[in-house]
Amino acid sequence: MLEELLVPKKVFLTNGVGVHKDMLASFELALRDAGIEKCNLVYVSSILPPRCKILSRNKGLEMLRPGQLTYCVMAKNQTNE
């Protein structure tokens, strides 16, 4: 069933930092630093389902393909300094 396909079975954590005078450029640099710049990100809430396996960052990034829809929980912090 479609519902079963949308329940995550694996998850990994990553982070990135981007610094640029332009806010959009700094966000792109942060995505690159996190290793997820080639994914189409879909934001979701932070509910982790039971029996969801937590992978290492490297193993998780290996599983991603350019252009893939990638569900993510994203936290941002922005400043002009």
Side-chain angles (χ1 to χ4, degrees):
M1 291 176 86
L2 184 58
E3 296 97 29
E4 290 179 22
L5 294 175
L6 295 177
V7 177
K9 293 175 181 51
K10 299 174 187 170
V11 64
F12 72 96
L13 304 175
T14 188
N15 67 310
V17 176
V19 177
H20 194 278
K21 65 179 180 169
D22 180 63
M23 191 169 60
L24 186 58
S26 66
F27 181 62
E28 173 65 24
L29 292 172
L31 292 177
R32 288 179 188 186
D33 191 38
I36 56 173
E37 75 281 2
K38 292 183 176 145
C39 297
N40 287 303
L41 302 177
V42 179
Y43 301 130
V44 297
S45 65
S46 59
I47 306 298
L48 191 62
R51 296 177 296 282
C52 187
K53 183 176 179 180
I54 299 175
L55 304 175
S56 70
R57 178 181 187 233
N58 289 339
K59 184 60 101 172
L61 290 174
E62 285 176 10
M63 298 179 76
L64 298 179
R65 301 290 171 252
Q68 173 180 344
L69 284 178
T70 305
Y71 296 96
C72 74
V73 176
M74 182 167 301
K76 286 186 188 180
N77 186 16
Q78 297 172 214
T79 181
N80 63 351
E81 296 179 2

